[in-house]
């Protein structure tokens, strides 16, 4: 039976072949090798549908060893830190309230029409006295998971992320503790199959640089090179993301945020069973071959998840 995967557009398929080393004729064999390895892991119980697993192969440029490591970390971290990474419903009133603020959106047209997906987080729209950072991150996490399943531009070309701090306060920044930042950084770099191609900060507020400089060293050198702080200079942002690819709320042509929120509300409804099923997947550390993981050691500010050998 051929792999149950959406066909890419000819342009995306060419990019996948050239940049991700995808070989369409070999896809079935690559997925079979991945699934065989999964069956041999007594501690690991992941989703195994083709569309989900191919995201990990594409996110690792078809290195099977890296895809194994990423999938294991994806479920290890979700099991250990469910409040951070494991969304099991999108129906809670708080979840929908945060989403309806329009603080978090994925824009409909990718950069340059065929490039990375553009995501925006408008931090100031979620007042800290009403919503905490973990509640907001649950919405971001759910949107990422849907992107893994259905967004071919994000899977092949990655994501360009814009953090707009207009209306935010120092209290927003101080919600993100160093230990929390470490978890999100490790999850983003080492567990998530979607590749972050650039992270732009605009309308930055007083005190941002000091906090930013604490968190920046937690990232790999490669990711540090993809960070851009523009202050209030929108021109610096539009040099890299032309205005037409920003939403209408920014004077661009790439969707109105109100319409995007309404479309995603329906999407969350459609995916509710998918999220409920997340409760059944994960890892059982008591069954992991080899030594157990020292999570506290791994996630001290000096510690790093990179010490974990999962192959």
């Amino acid at each position: 039976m051929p792999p149950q995967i959406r066909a890419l557009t000819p342009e995306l398929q060419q990019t996948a072949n050239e940049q991700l080393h995808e070989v369409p004729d070999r896809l079935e064999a690559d997925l079979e090798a991945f699934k065989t390895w999964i069956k041999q892991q007594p501690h690991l119980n992941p989703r195994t549908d083709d569309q989900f697993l191919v995201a990990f192969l594409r996110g690792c440029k078809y290195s099977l060893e890296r895809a194994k490591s990423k999938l294991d970390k994806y479920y290890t971290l979700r099991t250990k830190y469910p409040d951070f990474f494991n969304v099991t419903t999108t129906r809670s009133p708080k979840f929908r309230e945060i989403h309806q603020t329009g603080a978090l959106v994925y824009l409909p047209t990718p950069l340059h029409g065929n490039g990375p997906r553009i995501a925006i987080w408008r931090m100031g729209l979620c007042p800290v006295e009403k919503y905490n950072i973990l509640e907001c991150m649950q919405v971001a996490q759910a949107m990422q998971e849907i992107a893994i399943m259905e967004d071919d531009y994000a899977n092949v070309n990655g994501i360009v992320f814009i953090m707009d701090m207009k209306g935010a306060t120092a209290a927003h920044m101080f919600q993100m503790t160093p230990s929390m930042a470490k978890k999100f950084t490790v999850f983003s770099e080492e567990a998530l199959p979607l590749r972050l191609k650039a992270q732009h900060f605009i309308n930055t507020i007083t005190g941002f640089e000091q906090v930013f400089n604490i968190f920046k060293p937690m990232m790999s050198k490669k990711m540090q090179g993809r960070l851009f702080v523009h202050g209030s200079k929108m021109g610096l942002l539009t040099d890299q993301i032309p205005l037409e690819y920003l939403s209408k709320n920014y004077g661009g042509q790439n969707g109105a945020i109100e319409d995007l929120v309404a479309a995603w509300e329906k999407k969350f409804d459609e995916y509710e069973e998918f999220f409920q099923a997340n409760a059944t997947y994960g890892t059982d550390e008591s069954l992991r071959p080899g030594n157990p993981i020292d999570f506290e050691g791994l996630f001290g500010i000096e510690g790093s998840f990179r010490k974990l050998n999962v192959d």
Side-chain angles (χ1 to χ4, degrees), residues 227-243:
L227 300 173
F228 303 93
V229 180
H230 304 305
S232 58
K233 297 172 182 164
M234 274 297 282
L236 294 176
L237 177 68
T238 54
D239 283 346
Q240 296 187 55
I241 301 175
L243 185 60

Side-chain angles (χ1 to χ4, degrees), residues 55 59 70 106 143-145 147-148 151 154-155 158-159 188 192-196:
K70 211 167 252 267
Y106 281 42
M143 295 176 90
Q144 281 180 335
E145 284 188 56
I148 288 169
D151 189 341
N155 279 286
I159 291 180
S188 172
L192 199 64
L194 303 174
R195 293 169 301 131
L196 188 62

Side-chain angles (χ1 to χ4, degrees), residues 16-214:
N17 298 353
E18 291 172 359
Q19 295 184 21
L20 307 183
H21 316 303
E22 183 161 301
V23 180
D25 291 345
R26 212 179 63 208
L27 198 49
E28 190 172 355
D30 287 336
L31 281 164
E32 207 45 55
F34 201 3
K35 289 177 188 173
T36 299
W37 173 82
I38 289 167
K39 284 175 191 158
Q40 294 165 349
Q41 308 309 305
H43 68 293
L44 183 59
N45 174 33
R47 284 183 191 281
T48 54
D49 43 303
D50 292 344
Q51 192 70 56
F52 178 74
L53 293 180
V54 80
F56 283 82
L57 291 173
R58 286 171 174 160
C60 296
K61 300 188 177 180
Y62 280 82
S63 160
L64 185 56
E65 293 311 302
R66 282 179 55 213
K68 291 174 188 177
S69 173
K70 211 167 252 267
L71 185 72
D72 196 333
K73 288 173 182 172
Y74 184 80
Y75 281 105
T76 300
L77 291 174
R78 288 163 69 96
T79 304
K80 177 67 177 174
Y81 304 109
D83 291 351
F84 284 75
F85 304 121
N86 200 24
V87 181
T88 55
T89 180
T90 63
R91 288 260 164 88
S92 81
K94 186 73 73 87
F95 182 102
R96 292 301 177 105
E97 262 182 50
I98 290 169
H99 176 246
Q100 286 160 10
T101 65
L104 288 142
V105 289
Y106 281 42
L107 302 185
T109 303
L111 184 59
H112 305 305
N114 193 45
R117 179 65 60 199
I118 303 166
I120 303 178
W121 187 338
R122 296 184 293 167
M123 189 184 264
L125 293 184
C126 291
V128 289
E129 59 276 9
K130 212 167 170 189
Y131 311 114
N132 69 49
I133 186 82
L134 279 184
E135 290 168 334
C136 297
M137 290 304 292
Q138 289 267 309
V139 179
Q141 179 69 26
M143 295 176 90
Q144 281 180 335
E145 284 188 56
I146 292 173
I148 288 169
M149 293 304 294
E150 66 171 52
D151 189 341
D152 294 326
Y153 290 99
N155 279 286
V156 173
N157 288 322
I159 291 180
V160 169
F161 180 73
I162 301 167
M163 170 66 83
D164 183 350
M165 301 186 77
K166 184 178 181 182
T169 63
H172 279 93
M173 290 191 297
F174 292 125
Q175 278 195 323
M176 179 70 82
T177 65
S179 130
M180 200 182 278
K182 182 75 174 176
K183 291 180 180 71
F184 286 125
T185 300
V186 169
F187 187 82
S188 172
E189 287 198 42
E190 302 193 27
L192 199 64
L194 303 174
R195 293 169 301 131
L196 188 62
K197 302 309 288 280
Q199 192 162 350
H200 299 273
F201 296 87
I202 59 171
N203 297 315
T204 49
I205 59 177
T206 306
F208 168 78
E209 292 284 349
Q210 293 92 312
V211 175
F212 180 75
N213 290 333
I214 293 169

